[in-house]
Amino acid sequence: MTEWNIQPRSAACTQCQQPFPDKAPYHALLFFEAAGYHRRDLCAACFTPTAREGATCYWQGEFKTPPPPPPEPLAKDRAEALLRKLMATPDAAQASVRYILAVMLERKRILKHRDTIRDEAGRDALVYEHARTGESFTIPDPHLRLDQLTDVQRQVTELLESPAAVIDSPVGSG
């Protein structure tokens, strides 16, 4: 089976290099060459009927500016700074918040789960390693129930959105 590597639509005219404005018409031409297919996208000003000569395929379209990527709901560095702050003062009331922050950072591949340990009292703790620095974090497992998650997630969101809750200095400094 033959694989075709056809380029996606360009963001600019391949002839004059001017970016396509939103909703502007463009002309796409596909040429077959020794190396395979080659695509040319032309603005209305650069397109002439002779531009189609030798083209294997031709079509017109309307350029649509791609939307910007959505902002990350909660910044990773902010979540990491908050976890570090909560680890420095291990308040038992914040155990669930620390656990959720660690899981969030694990999903973002900042922390890697390395082990689960059990202390003498029979309590479980998760051992995480920071992917970049190699630091170890031991997070007691609060054994959250599903009916508790909504409340803990609300607490985490409030803390992350509160400017006073997170250390203002960059993560890793100091």
Side-chain angles (χ1 to χ4, degrees):
M1 183 171 195
T2 304
E3 268 195 52
W4 295 343
N5 183 19
I6 300 173
Q7 302 95 334
R9 180 199 65 217
S10 299
C13 175
T14 53
Q15 187 167 323
C16 70
Q17 306 301 317
Q18 291 296 313
F20 292 121
D22 191 36
K23 299 184 181 178
Y26 70 93
H27 301 267
L29 302 126
L30 197 60
F31 296 91
F32 186 74
E33 299 168 349
Y37 285 99
H38 175 73
R39 178 177 175 158
R40 292 183 61 204
D41 294 316
L42 302 174
C43 65
C46 291
F47 178 76
T48 62
T50 57
R52 288 179 64 173
E53 292 176 6
T56 304
C57 190
Y58 162 79
W59 66 96
Q60 288 180 275
E62 181 180 271
F63 184 81
K64 290 180 178 65
T65 304
E72 194 167 325
L74 301 171
K76 293 182 267 192
D77 57 343
R78 198 163 169 80
E80 184 179 341
L82 180 58
L83 178 61
R84 288 176 182 279
K85 181 178 179 182
L86 293 174
M87 293 291 294
T89 56
D91 178 9
Q94 297 292 333
S96 297
V97 173
R98 283 192 297 274
Y99 176 78
I100 293 296
L101 285 168
V103 170
M104 285 173 51
L105 293 169
E106 180 182 7
R107 290 189 69 205
K108 298 289 184 183
R109 295 190 169 114
I110 293 173
L111 296 181
K112 294 179 182 178
H113 180 247
R114 291 296 182 212
D115 200 4
T116 301
I117 57 175
R118 180 166 284 163
D119 65 11
E120 299 82 30
R123 295 179 298 241
D124 291 331
L126 303 166
V127 179
Y128 286 100
E129 180 181 301
H130 194 284
R132 191 174 25 100
T133 65
E135 294 171 88
S136 291
F137 294 85
T138 303
I139 310 289
D141 188 344
H143 295 287
L144 290 172
R145 297 184 319 266
L146 284 176
D147 63 331
Q148 297 172 309
L149 280 178
T150 304
D151 186 47
V152 176
Q153 287 174 330
R154 182 188 48 74
Q155 289 175 351
V156 169
T157 301
E158 287 173 3
L159 285 169
L160 287 171
E161 290 174 350
S162 168
V166 180
I167 302 169
D168 291 330
S169 63
V171 173
S173 67

